[in-house]
Amino acid sequence: MIFTTEKQSENMQNPFFKSLQLTDREIDILACLHSGKANKKIAIILSLSPATVKKHVHNVMQKLDKHTRESTIEYLEKKGQGDYLTVRFKALVKRYEFNKLRLSLVQKTGSQKKTCHIVCDKSVLLEELRQDLRCFG
């Protein structure tokens, strides 16, 4: 994988989640829960097994003293964390889509090189790409 959760967390950690002593992975799980994803879809996005996702969901709900996904999401919304989780989820999806595309290119070209050359006339597109890549370190 090109991007690491640790690098993402440096850019996206916030004091609320830090105070709850949640791991970066648990915050990723919360972002996915907040977006309404089921365990199977979360597993795909985060490249985990469904059993691992189930364990993370259980652990994070236990840390928050919540017993349902709905009460967990409601709690996070009341604490003003909805926007943060939405942004984090979008970053996770971008990372997943980027890696999926990268793997597709590797399969098509047979090359494991980590260099990518982009030829483009539109400077706006390049700037958006730079911003997206900065998000992942």
Side-chain angles (χ1 to χ4, degrees), residues 60-118:
V60 76
M61 287 172 50
Q62 191 173 28
K63 284 183 178 182
L64 297 176
D65 195 28
K66 302 298 172 198
H67 303 287
T68 65
R69 289 173 181 244
E70 293 78 17
S71 64
T72 301
I73 293 166
E74 191 176 295
Y75 169 75
L76 294 167
E77 286 289 333
K78 284 182 181 175
K79 293 294 184 178
Q81 298 304 310
D83 290 343
Y84 172 82
L85 292 172
T86 298
V87 169
R88 188 162 179 131
F89 178 73
K90 287 179 182 179
L92 291 169
V93 170
K94 281 184 180 183
R95 181 177 65 191
Y96 166 75
E97 292 294 333
F98 184 87
N99 281 322
K100 191 167 81 170
L101 177 61
R102 185 184 60 81
L103 289 173
S104 171
L105 290 172
V106 166
Q107 289 172 348
K108 288 178 183 175
T109 64
S111 173
Q112 290 286 342
K113 287 184 178 180
K114 294 183 179 180
T115 302
C116 180
H117 299 278
I118 299 172

Side-chain angles (χ1 to χ4, degrees), residues 4 7-10 44 63 69 73 107 126 131 136:
T4 65
K7 190 64 176 178
Q8 179 186 11
S9 70
E10 287 175 17
I44 292 168
K63 284 183 178 182
R69 289 173 181 244
I73 293 166
Q107 289 172 348
L126 290 175
Q131 289 174 3
F136 300 115

Side-chain angles (χ1 to χ4, degrees), residues 8-97:
Q8 179 186 11
S9 70
E10 287 175 17
N11 296 328
M12 299 187 76
Q13 183 66 279
N14 81 17
F16 174 78
F17 292 112
K18 215 175 206 177
S19 72
L20 295 172
Q21 297 184 328
L22 297 175
T23 66
D24 292 329
R25 184 57 81 194
E26 288 170 336
I27 299 168
D28 291 345
I29 294 289
L30 285 173
C32 292
L33 289 178
H34 182 262
S35 74
K37 301 300 177 218
N39 286 1
K40 189 174 180 181
K41 184 65 177 175
I42 295 171
I44 292 168
I45 292 169
L46 299 180
S47 300
L48 300 171
S49 75
T52 301
V53 170
K54 185 177 179 180
K55 184 67 175 166
H56 281 305
V57 169
H58 175 268
N59 289 345
V60 76
M61 287 172 50
Q62 191 173 28
K63 284 183 178 182
L64 297 176
D65 195 28
K66 302 298 172 198
H67 303 287
T68 65
R69 289 173 181 244
E70 293 78 17
S71 64
T72 301
I73 293 166
E74 191 176 295
Y75 169 75
L76 294 167
E77 286 289 333
K78 284 182 181 175
K79 293 294 184 178
Q81 298 304 310
D83 290 343
Y84 172 82
L85 292 172
T86 298
V87 169
R88 188 162 179 131
F89 178 73
K90 287 179 182 179
L92 291 169
V93 170
K94 281 184 180 183
R95 181 177 65 191
Y96 166 75
E97 292 294 333

